[in-house]
Short mmCIF file of all heavy atoms in Angstrom, two decimals:
data_model
loop_
_atom_site.label_atom_id
_atom_site.label_comp_id
_atom_site.label_asym_id
_atom_site.label_seq_id
_atom_site.Cartn_x
_atom_site.Cartn_y
_atom_site.Cartn_z
N THR A 90 -6.25 -12.71 -13.26
CA THR A 90 -7.38 -13.59 -13.00
C THR A 90 -8.31 -13.75 -14.21
O THR A 90 -9.23 -14.58 -14.18
CB THR A 90 -8.23 -13.07 -11.82
OG1 THR A 90 -8.82 -11.83 -12.20
CG2 THR A 90 -7.40 -12.90 -10.57
N ARG A 91 -8.13 -12.92 -15.21
CA ARG A 91 -9.03 -12.91 -16.40
C ARG A 91 -10.48 -12.61 -16.04
O ARG A 91 -11.41 -13.10 -16.65
CB ARG A 91 -8.93 -14.25 -17.16
CG ARG A 91 -7.48 -14.54 -17.57
CD ARG A 91 -7.40 -15.50 -18.72
NE ARG A 91 -6.02 -15.83 -19.03
CZ ARG A 91 -5.63 -16.26 -20.22
NH1 ARG A 91 -6.53 -16.43 -21.18
NH2 ARG A 91 -4.38 -16.55 -20.44
N GLN A 92 -10.61 -11.79 -15.00
CA GLN A 92 -11.93 -11.27 -14.62
C GLN A 92 -11.88 -9.75 -14.73
O GLN A 92 -10.81 -9.17 -14.73
CB GLN A 92 -12.22 -11.60 -13.14
CG GLN A 92 -11.94 -13.03 -12.78
CD GLN A 92 -13.22 -13.84 -12.73
OE1 GLN A 92 -14.00 -13.69 -11.81
NE2 GLN A 92 -13.41 -14.66 -13.73
N LYS A 93 -13.04 -9.13 -14.74
CA LYS A 93 -13.04 -7.66 -14.79
C LYS A 93 -12.53 -7.12 -13.42
O LYS A 93 -12.71 -7.74 -12.41
CB LYS A 93 -14.45 -7.13 -15.05
CG LYS A 93 -14.87 -7.27 -16.50
CD LYS A 93 -16.07 -6.41 -16.81
CE LYS A 93 -17.36 -7.05 -16.37
NZ LYS A 93 -18.54 -6.17 -16.67
N ASP A 94 -11.94 -5.96 -13.48
CA ASP A 94 -11.56 -5.27 -12.24
C ASP A 94 -11.92 -3.79 -12.42
O ASP A 94 -12.47 -3.40 -13.46
CB ASP A 94 -10.06 -5.47 -11.94
CG ASP A 94 -9.70 -5.06 -10.51
OD1 ASP A 94 -10.61 -4.85 -9.70
OD2 ASP A 94 -8.50 -4.95 -10.17
N VAL A 95 -11.64 -2.97 -11.42
CA VAL A 95 -12.17 -1.58 -11.42
C VAL A 95 -11.33 -0.58 -12.20
O VAL A 95 -11.76 0.56 -12.42
CB VAL A 95 -12.31 -1.06 -9.98
CG1 VAL A 95 -13.32 -1.89 -9.22
CG2 VAL A 95 -10.97 -1.07 -9.26
N TYR A 96 -10.14 -0.96 -12.65
CA TYR A 96 -9.23 0.05 -13.21
C TYR A 96 -9.41 0.38 -14.68
O TYR A 96 -9.52 -0.51 -15.52
CB TYR A 96 -7.78 -0.38 -12.98
CG TYR A 96 -7.45 -0.45 -11.50
CD1 TYR A 96 -7.34 -1.66 -10.85
CD2 TYR A 96 -7.32 0.72 -10.77
CE1 TYR A 96 -7.10 -1.72 -9.49
CE2 TYR A 96 -7.07 0.67 -9.41
CZ TYR A 96 -6.96 -0.54 -8.77
OH TYR A 96 -6.73 -0.60 -7.44
N TYR A 97 -9.42 1.67 -14.93
CA TYR A 97 -9.32 2.20 -16.28
C TYR A 97 -7.87 2.64 -16.49
O TYR A 97 -7.17 2.97 -15.51
CB TYR A 97 -10.19 3.45 -16.47
CG TYR A 97 -11.67 3.18 -16.34
CD1 TYR A 97 -12.29 3.10 -15.08
CD2 TYR A 97 -12.48 3.03 -17.47
CE1 TYR A 97 -13.65 2.87 -14.96
CE2 TYR A 97 -13.84 2.81 -17.36
CZ TYR A 97 -14.42 2.71 -16.11
OH TYR A 97 -15.76 2.48 -15.99
N ILE A 98 -7.44 2.66 -17.75
CA ILE A 98 -6.14 3.25 -18.05
C ILE A 98 -6.29 4.22 -19.20
O ILE A 98 -6.88 3.88 -20.23
CB ILE A 98 -5.09 2.15 -18.41
CG1 ILE A 98 -4.94 1.16 -17.24
CG2 ILE A 98 -3.74 2.80 -18.74
CD1 ILE A 98 -4.04 -0.03 -17.54
N ASP A 99 -5.78 5.44 -19.04
CA ASP A 99 -5.80 6.46 -20.08
C ASP A 99 -4.38 6.88 -20.38
O ASP A 99 -3.49 6.72 -19.55
CB ASP A 99 -6.55 7.71 -19.61
CG ASP A 99 -8.05 7.54 -19.60
OD1 ASP A 99 -8.53 6.45 -19.97
OD2 ASP A 99 -8.74 8.50 -19.23
N ALA A 100 -4.20 7.45 -21.57
CA ALA A 100 -2.90 8.06 -21.90
C ALA A 100 -2.94 9.53 -21.50
O ALA A 100 -3.78 10.28 -21.99
CB ALA A 100 -2.62 7.93 -23.38
N ILE A 101 -2.08 9.93 -20.57
CA ILE A 101 -1.99 11.34 -20.19
C ILE A 101 -1.29 12.13 -21.29
O ILE A 101 -1.57 13.28 -21.56
CB ILE A 101 -1.21 11.51 -18.86
CG1 ILE A 101 -2.01 10.92 -17.69
CG2 ILE A 101 -0.92 12.96 -18.58
CD1 ILE A 101 -1.36 11.12 -16.35
N GLU A 102 -0.32 11.46 -21.93
CA GLU A 102 0.42 12.09 -23.04
C GLU A 102 0.33 11.17 -24.25
O GLU A 102 0.01 9.99 -24.12
CB GLU A 102 1.91 12.16 -22.67
CG GLU A 102 2.19 13.03 -21.46
CD GLU A 102 3.69 12.99 -21.08
OE1 GLU A 102 4.44 12.23 -21.71
OE2 GLU A 102 4.06 13.75 -20.16
N PRO A 103 0.61 11.67 -25.45
CA PRO A 103 0.77 10.78 -26.59
C PRO A 103 1.82 9.74 -26.28
O PRO A 103 2.90 10.08 -25.79
CB PRO A 103 1.21 11.71 -27.73
CG PRO A 103 1.49 13.03 -27.13
CD PRO A 103 0.81 13.07 -25.79
N THR A 104 1.49 8.48 -26.46
CA THR A 104 2.36 7.41 -25.96
C THR A 104 2.63 6.32 -26.99
O THR A 104 1.74 5.92 -27.74
CB THR A 104 1.71 6.78 -24.72
OG1 THR A 104 1.57 7.76 -23.68
CG2 THR A 104 2.54 5.62 -24.18
N GLU A 105 3.88 5.90 -27.01
CA GLU A 105 4.27 4.75 -27.87
C GLU A 105 4.61 3.59 -26.95
O GLU A 105 5.35 3.77 -25.98
CB GLU A 105 5.50 5.10 -28.70
CG GLU A 105 5.29 6.30 -29.60
CD GLU A 105 6.59 6.77 -30.24
OE1 GLU A 105 7.66 6.17 -29.96
OE2 GLU A 105 6.52 7.73 -31.01
N ALA A 106 4.07 2.42 -27.26
CA ALA A 106 4.28 1.29 -26.39
C ALA A 106 4.37 -0.02 -27.16
O ALA A 106 3.99 -0.08 -28.35
CB ALA A 106 3.14 1.19 -25.39
N PHE A 107 4.87 -1.05 -26.51
CA PHE A 107 4.83 -2.39 -27.06
C PHE A 107 3.78 -3.17 -26.30
O PHE A 107 3.66 -3.05 -25.08
CB PHE A 107 6.19 -3.09 -26.94
CG PHE A 107 7.24 -2.38 -27.68
CD1 PHE A 107 8.32 -1.77 -27.03
CD2 PHE A 107 7.18 -2.28 -29.07
CE1 PHE A 107 9.29 -1.08 -27.74
CE2 PHE A 107 8.15 -1.60 -29.79
CZ PHE A 107 9.21 -1.00 -29.12
N CYS A 108 3.04 -3.97 -27.04
CA CYS A 108 1.90 -4.68 -26.45
C CYS A 108 2.15 -6.19 -26.48
O CYS A 108 2.54 -6.76 -27.48
CB CYS A 108 0.65 -4.33 -27.25
SG CYS A 108 -0.80 -5.26 -26.74
N LEU A 109 1.92 -6.81 -25.33
CA LEU A 109 1.94 -8.29 -25.25
C LEU A 109 0.57 -8.76 -24.76
O LEU A 109 0.04 -8.24 -23.78
CB LEU A 109 3.01 -8.79 -24.29
CG LEU A 109 4.41 -9.03 -24.84
CD1 LEU A 109 5.32 -9.55 -23.73
CD2 LEU A 109 4.41 -10.00 -26.01
N GLN A 110 0.01 -9.76 -25.42
CA GLN A 110 -1.24 -10.36 -25.01
C GLN A 110 -0.99 -11.36 -23.88
O GLN A 110 0.09 -11.92 -23.80
CB GLN A 110 -1.87 -11.13 -26.19
CG GLN A 110 -2.11 -10.31 -27.43
CD GLN A 110 -3.42 -9.54 -27.36
OE1 GLN A 110 -4.22 -9.77 -26.46
NE2 GLN A 110 -3.59 -8.61 -28.29
N VAL A 111 -1.99 -11.58 -23.03
CA VAL A 111 -1.84 -12.60 -21.98
C VAL A 111 -1.36 -13.92 -22.55
O VAL A 111 -0.46 -14.55 -22.01
CB VAL A 111 -3.16 -12.98 -21.24
CG1 VAL A 111 -2.92 -13.11 -19.74
CG2 VAL A 111 -4.30 -12.11 -21.57
N ASN A 112 -1.98 -14.32 -23.63
CA ASN A 112 -1.65 -15.61 -24.23
C ASN A 112 -0.18 -15.70 -24.65
O ASN A 112 0.46 -16.74 -24.50
CB ASN A 112 -2.54 -15.88 -25.44
CG ASN A 112 -3.98 -15.99 -25.03
OD1 ASN A 112 -4.27 -16.37 -23.88
ND2 ASN A 112 -4.89 -15.68 -25.94
N ASP A 113 0.32 -14.59 -25.19
CA ASP A 113 1.75 -14.56 -25.55
C ASP A 113 2.58 -14.79 -24.29
O ASP A 113 3.54 -15.56 -24.30
CB ASP A 113 2.10 -13.18 -26.13
CG ASP A 113 1.41 -12.93 -27.47
OD1 ASP A 113 1.26 -13.92 -28.21
OD2 ASP A 113 1.03 -11.78 -27.72
N LEU A 114 2.19 -14.11 -23.23
CA LEU A 114 2.93 -14.22 -21.98
C LEU A 114 2.86 -15.66 -21.45
O LEU A 114 3.88 -16.22 -21.01
CB LEU A 114 2.35 -13.23 -20.98
CG LEU A 114 3.36 -12.36 -20.23
CD1 LEU A 114 4.41 -11.79 -21.16
CD2 LEU A 114 2.64 -11.24 -19.51
N VAL A 115 1.69 -16.23 -21.50
CA VAL A 115 1.55 -17.63 -21.07
C VAL A 115 2.50 -18.51 -21.87
O VAL A 115 3.25 -19.31 -21.31
CB VAL A 115 0.08 -18.11 -21.25
CG1 VAL A 115 0.00 -19.62 -21.05
CG2 VAL A 115 -0.83 -17.40 -20.26
N TYR A 116 2.48 -18.30 -23.18
CA TYR A 116 3.40 -19.08 -24.07
C TYR A 116 4.84 -18.90 -23.62
O TYR A 116 5.62 -19.86 -23.50
CB TYR A 116 3.24 -18.64 -25.52
CG TYR A 116 4.30 -19.20 -26.43
CD1 TYR A 116 4.14 -20.46 -27.02
CD2 TYR A 116 5.47 -18.49 -26.69
CE1 TYR A 116 5.12 -20.99 -27.84
CE2 TYR A 116 6.46 -19.02 -27.52
CZ TYR A 116 6.28 -20.26 -28.07
OH TYR A 116 7.27 -20.77 -28.87
N LEU A 117 5.21 -17.67 -23.35
CA LEU A 117 6.61 -17.40 -22.97
C LEU A 117 6.95 -18.06 -21.63
O LEU A 117 8.03 -18.62 -21.46
CB LEU A 117 6.86 -15.89 -22.90
CG LEU A 117 6.77 -15.15 -24.27
CD1 LEU A 117 6.71 -13.65 -24.08
CD2 LEU A 117 7.96 -15.54 -25.15
N PHE A 118 6.03 -18.00 -20.69
CA PHE A 118 6.26 -18.63 -19.39
C PHE A 118 6.38 -20.16 -19.56
O PHE A 118 7.22 -20.78 -18.91
CB PHE A 118 5.13 -18.32 -18.42
CG PHE A 118 5.19 -16.95 -17.82
CD1 PHE A 118 4.05 -16.16 -17.75
CD2 PHE A 118 6.38 -16.43 -17.33
CE1 PHE A 118 4.10 -14.87 -17.20
CE2 PHE A 118 6.44 -15.16 -16.78
CZ PHE A 118 5.31 -14.37 -16.72
N GLU A 119 5.56 -20.73 -20.43
CA GLU A 119 5.60 -22.17 -20.65
C GLU A 119 6.93 -22.62 -21.26
O GLU A 119 7.43 -23.68 -20.94
CB GLU A 119 4.48 -22.58 -21.62
CG GLU A 119 3.07 -22.31 -21.15
CD GLU A 119 2.58 -23.34 -20.13
OE1 GLU A 119 3.05 -24.49 -20.20
OE2 GLU A 119 1.76 -22.98 -19.28
N ASN A 120 7.45 -21.80 -22.16
CA ASN A 120 8.59 -22.25 -22.98
C ASN A 120 9.95 -21.70 -22.57
O ASN A 120 10.97 -22.20 -23.01
CB ASN A 120 8.32 -21.92 -24.44
CG ASN A 120 7.18 -22.73 -24.97
OD1 ASN A 120 7.33 -23.90 -25.32
ND2 ASN A 120 5.97 -22.14 -24.99
N PHE A 121 9.94 -20.66 -21.75
CA PHE A 121 11.21 -20.08 -21.33
C PHE A 121 11.23 -19.91 -19.83
O PHE A 121 10.72 -18.91 -19.30
CB PHE A 121 11.41 -18.72 -22.02
CG PHE A 121 11.50 -18.79 -23.51
CD1 PHE A 121 10.33 -18.68 -24.28
CD2 PHE A 121 12.71 -18.96 -24.15
CE1 PHE A 121 10.39 -18.73 -25.66
CE2 PHE A 121 12.77 -19.00 -25.54
CZ PHE A 121 11.62 -18.90 -26.31
N PRO A 122 11.82 -20.87 -19.13
CA PRO A 122 11.86 -20.79 -17.66
C PRO A 122 12.48 -19.49 -17.15
O PRO A 122 12.13 -19.03 -16.07
CB PRO A 122 12.74 -21.98 -17.25
CG PRO A 122 12.81 -22.86 -18.44
CD PRO A 122 12.48 -22.06 -19.65
#
Side-chain angles (χ1 to χ4, degrees):
Chain A
T90 64
R91 304 202 183 203
Q92 312 260 287
K93 284 197 279 179
D94 194 12
V95 297
Y96 296 105
Y97 296 82
I98 301 174
D99 284 359
I101 292 184
E102 298 176 354
T104 299
E105 301 170 359
F107 298 115
C108 175
L109 272 182
Q110 303 277 350
V111 222
N112 296 333
D113 294 325
L114 228 44
V115 169
Y116 170 86
L117 293 167
F118 284 134
E119 298 282 330
N120 293 280
F121 298 90

